[in-house]
Amino acid sequence: MRILLIEDEPSLGQAVREHVAATGHAVDHVLRLDDARAALRGVDYGLILLDLHLPDGLGLDLLKSLRNAGDRRPVIIMTARDQIRDRIEGLNAGADDYLVKPFDLDELAARVAAVARRASGNPGPIIRLGQIEIDQSGRELRRDGRRIDITGREWAVLDQLLSRRNRIVTKEQIEEALYPFGAEIESNTIEVHVSRLRKKLGKTFIETVRGVGYRLGET
Ligand code: CA
């Protein structure tokens, strides 16, 4: 999932970016609302992490303008403990969740995973596809009951395919979800991840739609 992080405190922003990126998501970090608006115009983000006090305005104003425009993308707001009023206002304005600073990075990652699950239309954490069992909350895979290890990037590819199950997902859509702005991507990176997933999950698990992309069916 591609995530937009809007946070003007550099050290917190960097810590959040690194932690969430390590779980397989691509994070674009901006420090200002105008940069956030520009990024939102260009990229189909799956989630927005929003600080409320930014150098050029209030995060709540961005949230309200998104919701007024009919934009339902999940938003998690990050607030200081003394801003309870903002928090309530944020939830009323259409935020999906909130975290109180300072927050535990693992808790943040768990909330991000929960939002990703809801957005993919699979609120129940366990999905079964043929012999494969996918536990989305624990990020665990089992094949015929045996646990399979996959990397954060492989998980992110699988997550993209799961969120658009039975539909074709293009290589570009996967790249956009996995890599932030400015990342160097080798031309065959996605193919490599897909081929490793097939080795682990079975040859027919991911279907190639020649010249278009990939599809996860009812294996
Ligand atoms: Ca701030």
Side-chain angles (χ1 to χ4, degrees):
M1 181 167 64
R2 182 86 170 256
I3 296 172
L4 180 61
L5 166 64
I6 310 165
E7 168 61 65
D8 64 322
E9 197 185 305
S11 57
L12 176 62
Q14 191 184 350
V16 168
R17 181 169 54 80
E18 286 171 2
H19 195 81
V20 174
T23 64
H25 300 290
V27 182
D28 292 318
H29 177 203
V30 297
L31 290 80
R32 301 172 53 88
L33 285 176
D34 50 6
D35 292 332
R37 289 197 178 91
L40 283 162
R41 278 193 291 274
V43 177
D44 184 20
Y45 289 100
L47 172 67
I48 300 161
L49 294 171
L50 180 62
D51 178 31
L52 291 182
H53 290 264
L54 294 149
D56 57 340
L58 296 173
L60 273 181
D61 290 338
L62 175 70
L63 174 61
K64 285 176 190 162
S65 68
L66 288 174
R67 294 300 184 246
N68 286 340
D71 190 323
R72 307 305 314 161
R73 276 183 281 201
V75 174
I76 298 177
I77 54 181
M78 305 180 291
T79 75
R81 195 169 291 283
D82 57 359
Q83 296 163 355
I84 288 180
R85 200 174 260 289
D86 291 348
R87 202 157 89 204
I88 294 166
E89 206 187 330
L91 290 171
N92 285 338
D96 296 81
D97 205 347
Y98 66 87
L99 283 159
V100 177
K101 295 177 188 174
F103 46 78
D104 182 75
L105 288 170
D106 287 329
E107 186 186 353
L108 168 71
R111 304 272 186 105
V112 167
V115 167
R117 276 202 306 281
R118 282 200 297 272
S120 70
N122 293 310
I126 299 207
I127 297 172
R128 280 186 190 78
L129 287 171
Q131 306 147 317
I132 308 294
E133 198 177 282
I134 304 164
D135 176 349
Q136 290 189 296
S137 61
R139 296 164 68 94
E140 272 190 16
L141 281 176
R142 286 173 196 284
R143 182 178 180 183
D144 294 328
R146 268 176 302 129
R147 185 164 169 191
I148 299 167
D149 290 320
I150 66 170
T151 66
R153 290 276 186 236
E154 287 162 8
W155 185 271
V157 171
L158 182 62
D159 198 44
Q160 283 304 301
L161 294 166
L162 273 173
S163 68
R164 300 185 177 94
R165 222 164 112 195
N166 298 315
R167 281 183 284 161
I168 297 170
V169 185
T170 66
K171 207 177 96 176
E172 289 70 31
Q173 285 172 322
I174 298 175
E175 279 175 357
E176 185 174 275
L178 260 65
Y179 296 96
F181 285 125
E184 299 265 346
I185 313 171
E186 301 273 345
S187 63
N188 65 343
T189 301
I190 303 300
E191 282 94 330
V192 169
H193 291 316
V194 167
S195 109
R196 289 192 185 136
L197 280 169
R198 280 186 179 132
K199 272 199 193 110
K200 293 173 181 181
L201 303 175
K203 253 193 209 150
T204 58
F205 192 72
I206 298 167
E207 180 191 350
T208 297
V209 184
R210 197 175 280 276
V212 189
Y214 302 100
R215 180 164 52 199
L216 200 63
E218 303 290 343
T219 316

